[in-house]
């Protein structure tokens, strides 16, 4: 794991990204209704739920790409709900997107380098960091390829690499494992655990239940825009509300111990 230092800030002991009472409506329909979430540094936090549960909306609000109608977002007790996405990036909140958000006419290494430059690194340091990150994510052979028309798994890894080039205190992963093969998913699991060990707070949204349950320290479950339950993987795995009401057969298999959760 490349030594991607978090941006300067308070020590990670006790440091948390919090959402309290988050509510968001679109055309009168509540996508989120009084949702609470807590993402401490140094741990991997999962966020799961059926399609339409509000997971991506919550990530958009936490990262500044959307604003809540009501609720509080804070870092270490400092309110940030009115801050822009760019300001939150400078505070150390990075995220990935379900659908790319790459610079298609730049090469893979340039996509990572420009992200580091935007966070204040010199050109030489940005290139060095980009090279290290591409090595960590096994992207060296793609370094000089333009980002347009990359294979899906490579595109996903590049999105993660760009997020880490900001040297985040928190990184919010929105379905990063979609399109990854088993080996790539295992490598990503190891990467998340290594990030947490370095004091970075990780939020993982993914439909790969073995990856989520094999990676996370704590899991929040959303259903129809509301908190359903949260707890450790073992607590969630055996909670009847997960298996019978929100995630269907995949969740039921996990709850009954019928799925390999080591991803």
């Amino acid at each position: 794991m490349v030594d991607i230092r978090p941006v300067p800030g308070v020590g990670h002991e006790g440091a948390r990204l919090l959402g309290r009472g988050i509510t968001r409506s679109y055309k009168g329909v509540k996508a989120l209704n009084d949702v609470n979430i807590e993402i401490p540094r140094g741990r991997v936090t999962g966020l799961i739920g059926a399609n339409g549960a509000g997971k991506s909306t919550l990530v958009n609000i936490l990262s500044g790409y959307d604003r809540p109608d009501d609720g509080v977002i804070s870092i270490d007790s400092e309110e940030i709900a009115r801050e822009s996405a760019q300001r939150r990036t400078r505070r150390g909140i990075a995220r990935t997107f379900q659908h790319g958000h790459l610079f298609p006419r730049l090469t893979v290494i340039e996509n990572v380098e420009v992200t580091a430059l935007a966070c204040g690194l010199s050109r030489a340091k940005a290139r060095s960091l980009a090279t290290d990150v591409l090595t960590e994510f096994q992207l060296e052979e793609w370094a000089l390829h333009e980002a347009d028309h990359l294979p899906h798994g490579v595109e996903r890894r590049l999105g993660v690499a760009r997020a880490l080039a900001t040297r985040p205190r928190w990184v919010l992963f929105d379905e990063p494992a979609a399109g990854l093969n088993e080996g790539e998913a295992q490598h990503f699991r190891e990467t998340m655990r290594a990030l947490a060990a370095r004091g970075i707070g990780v939020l993982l949204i993914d439909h790969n239940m073995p990856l989520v349950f094999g990676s996370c320290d704590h899991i929040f479950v959303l259903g129809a825009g509301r908190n359903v339950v949260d707890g450790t993987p073992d607590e969630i795995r055996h909670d009847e509300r997960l298996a019978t009401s929100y995630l269907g057969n995949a969740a039921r298999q996990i709850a009954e111990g019928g799925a390999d959760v080591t991803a």
Side-chain angles (χ1 to χ4, degrees), residues 97-160:
F97 294 86
Q98 288 188 33
H99 306 292
H101 280 238
L102 305 176
F103 297 106
R105 305 312 301 175
L106 296 183
T107 65
V108 166
I109 194 169
E110 287 169 343
N111 262 272
V112 180
E113 185 177 0
V114 74
T115 302
L117 286 168
C119 293
L121 292 189
S122 68
R123 185 169 294 277
K125 289 183 177 179
R127 174 52 64 108
S128 177
L129 178 61
T131 300
D132 288 345
V133 172
L134 293 191
T135 299
E136 167 61 24
F137 285 93
Q138 302 171 3
L139 289 167
E140 309 102 302
E141 67 179 287
W142 298 95
L144 300 182
H145 289 251
E146 289 186 351
D148 199 15
H149 304 305
L150 291 173
H152 188 67
V154 173
E155 180 181 301
R156 290 288 177 168
R157 282 185 280 149
L158 177 55
V160 174

Side-chain angles (χ1 to χ4, degrees), residues 15-20 36-48 55 58-59 62 169-176 188 192-193 195-196 200-206 211-222 227 229-233 236:
R16 298 170 190 276
L17 172 61
L18 295 173
R20 288 286 180 263
N36 299 315
I37 192 167
E38 179 174 331
I39 309 165
R41 289 181 65 186
R43 297 176 72 81
V44 181
T45 300
L47 179 63
I48 60 176
K55 304 182 299 297
L58 183 56
V59 168
L62 291 172
R169 296 167 67 195
W170 288 272
V171 59
L172 316 179
F173 291 119
D174 194 355
E175 298 196 25
F188 181 67
M192 285 191 296
R193 296 308 316 174
L195 292 173
I200 293 172
V202 176
L203 178 68
L204 172 63
I205 298 175
D206 211 276
L211 175 65
V212 172
F213 278 78
S215 303
C216 294
D217 301 295
H218 197 92
I219 299 171
F220 288 82
V221 182
L222 291 186
N227 289 103
V229 64
D230 71 274
T232 66
I236 298 300

